[in-house]
């Protein structure tokens, strides 16, 4: 646990609780540091805590029985990991890995269930978040089936860039990008080389640097825009 207090409002779902519900939940909340690459739970594994990222990003992977996997959702300060387990069980529907290190609040499932039962407005916000998550997973499924590795590579970078405050620097290795995309490492290396030669990205001190965002946008598919547009509809569709 870290020692620096962080405002709960940095996470949209925590901010949706009434002040009364937050007062009862606060003693159960722990501020934790999530390290890049840390596995928070395995697919079908027991979920002990819900995590509410402040500046961390968490990747949700689905693994096939043959050992292949791909990212199906990315969870940041707009959401939480463990919401499905809180509302409907204790097992994870995917493998959860920290994509970008940072801070998060975590809470055991039972106190969170009590807080949601006592706060209808927050419960509604959590349900709308789950709907937006479903939109994200559905669009990603179609994207994985129909769009090229280069299009998805560029979108993965743009998605992280939008949520990363570090001025275009991303902690992304080509191995991790290949895992996110469910693609072969050799194909990712080839695409990264092409994007570097064209001046879209570069590498510095082990980090990937986005040099030309417009170029990446030109090569990326528009699934990120589609997720944002559909999510905005969910937010207003009450
Ligand atoms: Zn796509």
């Amino acid at each position: 646990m870290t020692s620096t207090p962080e405002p709960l409002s940095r996470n949209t779902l925590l901010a949706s609780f009434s002040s009364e519900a937050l007062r009862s939940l606060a003693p159960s909340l722990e501020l934790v540091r999530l390290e890049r690459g840390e596995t928070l739970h395995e697919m079908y594994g027991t979920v002990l805590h819900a995590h509410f990222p402040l500046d961390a990003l968490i990747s949700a992977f689905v693994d096939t029985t043959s050992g292949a996997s791909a990212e199906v959702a990315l969870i940041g300060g707009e959401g939480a990991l463990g919401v499905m387990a809180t509302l409907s069980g204790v097992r994870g529907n995917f493998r959860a890995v920290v994509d970008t290190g940072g801070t998060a609040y975590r809470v055991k499932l039972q106190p969170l269930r009590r807080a949601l039962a006592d706060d209808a407005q927050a419960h509604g916000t959590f349900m709308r978040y789950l709907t937006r998550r479903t939109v994200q997973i559905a669009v990603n499924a179609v994207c994985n089936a129909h769009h090229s590795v280069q299009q998805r590579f560029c979108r993965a970078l743009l998605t992280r860039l939008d949520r990363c405050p570090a001025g275009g620097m991303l902690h992304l290795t080509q191995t991790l990008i290949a895992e996110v995309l469910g693609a072969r490492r050799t194909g990712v290396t080839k695409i990264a080389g092409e994007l570097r030669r064209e001046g879209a990205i570069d590498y510095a001190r082990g980090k990937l640097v986005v040099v030309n965002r417009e170029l990446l946008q030109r090569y990326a598919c528009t699934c990120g825009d589609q997720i944002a547009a559909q999510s905005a509809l969910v937010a207003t569709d009450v």
Side-chain angles (χ1 to χ4, degrees):
M1 182 168 174
T2 66
S3 57
T4 309
E6 291 282 352
L8 304 178
S9 59
R10 289 180 65 192
N11 181 281
T12 306
L13 290 186
L14 282 179
S16 73
F17 279 107
S18 66
S19 50
E20 190 182 343
L22 263 187
R23 264 197 301 279
S24 67
L25 187 62
S28 305
L29 288 170
E30 272 186 281
L31 183 65
V32 292
R33 169 87 196 167
L34 301 182
E35 299 298 339
R36 183 164 54 100
E38 182 182 349
T39 299
L40 298 176
H41 64 70
E42 297 289 349
M43 196 161 160
Y44 308 130
T46 303
V47 178
L48 298 175
H49 299 91
H51 287 80
F52 296 83
L54 303 182
D55 52 6
L57 286 177
I58 300 168
S59 278
F61 287 96
V62 168
D63 304 319
T64 67
T65 53
S66 65
S69 65
E71 183 187 86
V72 295
L74 191 61
I75 300 164
E78 82 298 338
L81 173 70
V83 176
M84 290 183 200
T86 301
L87 296 173
S88 61
V90 293
R91 294 198 180 276
N93 297 301
F94 39 69
R95 177 165 52 91
V97 182
V98 179
D99 177 276
T100 302
T103 50
Y105 278 102
R106 75 175 185 184
V107 60
K108 289 183 177 167
L109 302 191
Q110 206 51 39
L112 181 57
R113 285 176 181 141
R114 281 197 297 271
L116 286 171
D118 292 342
D119 191 334
Q121 185 174 315
H123 189 273
T125 303
F126 273 63
M127 295 306 289
R128 280 192 293 280
Y129 167 65
L130 274 189
T131 305
R132 293 201 305 275
R133 170 95 68 76
T134 305
V135 166
Q136 188 183 3
I137 292 170
V139 173
N140 282 339
V142 177
C143 181
N144 289 344
H146 290 283
H147 294 151
S148 69
V149 175
Q150 185 191 49
Q151 286 176 304
R152 296 191 292 121
F153 184 122
C154 294
R155 178 164 83 85
L157 298 190
L158 289 170
T159 301
R160 284 160 175 78
L161 193 62
D162 287 343
R163 304 165 90 166
C164 173
M169 305 273 274
L170 299 174
H171 288 274
L172 275 178
T173 63
Q174 291 178 12
T175 301
L176 180 58
I177 295 169
E179 191 182 0
V180 163
L181 301 178
R184 290 181 189 280
R185 165 68 198 266
T186 49
V188 167
T189 299
K190 182 168 176 281
I191 291 167
E194 289 165 1
L195 290 173
R196 190 180 190 183
R197 278 193 295 280
E198 293 195 35
I201 64 170
D202 204 352
Y203 289 94
R205 296 188 298 280
K207 294 176 186 171
L208 188 154
V209 185
V210 174
V211 180
N212 188 330
R213 185 195 171 91
E214 288 68 32
L215 206 50
L216 279 185
Q217 281 177 315
R218 200 183 307 161
Y219 289 136
C221 61
T222 57
C223 292
D225 295 337
Q226 185 177 345
I227 290 170
Q230 286 189 240
S231 295
L233 282 178
V234 172
T236 56
D237 191 12
V238 185

